[in-house]
Amino acid sequence: MTENQLREHIALLGKSLYDRGLAHGSAGNISVKLADGWLMTPTNSCMGRLDPARISKLDLYGSLVSGDKPSKETFLHLAMYQERASCGAVVHLHSIHSVAVSCMDGLDAENVFPPITAYAIMQVGRLALVPYYPPGDGALADAVRKVAGAHHAVLLANHGPVVAGSSLAAAVSAIEELEQTAKLVLLLKDQPTRYLSPAQVAELNRRFPG
Ligand code: 13P
């Protein structure tokens, strides 16, 4: 895709997330890698009303080249790109079920979700939890950097999910699966549940690597 097509794609998928209630107000941000830097949604922008021409363009180090002031989470996105060579896009949301799980006590910081469905294993994998820091804080980006090499999906405590993908479509698909899985975890919280066995999880990882 050309840069202009990617700008349109960000606006299209941002609106899709917004229209389905996965993004609200000015929460969330999207970035996409370019050959000479990356595109980042502007700070305080509404995902449902992004203007493709005003999306921020950053250089490889995260400095603004053109467009509006970029998201306050720019350095969090940059950490994902720098730690994951295959990363082509990053999506961060405040989607409600994922945020609810991010506020729960006693989570496994290396693997937040139990092995509940095949697609959760295939698209989200081992979801890491990072401690709470204020939005845009350098310590939040540092905490994400520490786990990003081993996890493409990260849950920010009392905040929301961040997912890296090879493309924007892949990152959006995975963060939708993450949100759906969080909803299932909450729905089944008080129900006796049959989880996938370690052998079933291993088989999925073998059939659907990466
Ligand atoms: P920005 O508006 O700066 O992108 O921040 C929104 C957000 O989701 C913070 O975590």
Side-chain angles (χ1 to χ4, degrees), residues 10-11 25 35-36 38 48 71 76 80 118 121 139 146 164 175 189 208:
I10 290 171
D36 58 346
W38 33 296
S71 169
L76 187 156
M80 276 290 197
I121 304 296
K146 280 196 193 123
I175 206 164
K189 192 167 55 68
F208 305 100

Side-chain angles (χ1 to χ4, degrees), residues 97-104 107 129 155-160:
H97 301 94
S98 307
V99 175
V101 170
S102 86
C103 300
M104 289 168 75
L107 298 172
L129 178 76
L155 191 60
L156 314 178
N158 302 79
H159 185 164

Side-chain angles (χ1 to χ4, degrees), residues 153-199:
V154 178
L155 191 60
L156 314 178
N158 302 79
H159 185 164
V162 183
V163 173
S166 55
S167 65
L168 180 54
V172 167
S173 170
I175 206 164
E176 289 183 8
E177 195 62 44
L178 195 164
E179 172 64 9
Q180 192 75 6
T181 306
K183 188 172 180 178
L184 285 173
V185 166
L186 295 170
L187 279 172
L188 292 168
K189 192 167 55 68
D190 299 320
Q191 301 295 323
T193 303
R194 182 186 58 257
Y195 293 113
L196 299 182
S197 69

Side-chain angles (χ1 to χ4, degrees), residues 44-124:
N44 299 326
S45 56
C46 171
M47 298 271 257
R49 294 189 291 273
L50 290 168
D51 177 348
R54 293 179 62 174
I55 288 174
S56 322
K57 183 170 180 180
L58 310 175
D59 68 15
L60 289 169
Y61 308 99
S63 297
L64 184 63
V65 174
S66 63
D68 286 356
K69 184 178 173 195
S71 169
K72 66 176 82 59
E73 305 294 12
T74 290
F75 288 95
L76 187 156
H77 287 240
L78 185 61
M80 276 290 197
Y81 289 109
Q82 289 179 336
E83 298 302 315
R84 303 188 65 81
S86 63
C87 181
V90 177
V91 180
H92 166 53
L93 296 176
H94 295 181
S95 45
I96 192 161
H97 301 94
S98 307
V99 175
V101 170
S102 86
C103 300
M104 289 168 75
D105 222 346
L107 298 172
D108 177 353
E110 279 292 308
N111 194 8
V112 169
F113 292 142
I116 193 163
T117 68
Y119 261 63
I121 304 296
M122 290 154 55
Q123 296 208 343
V124 180

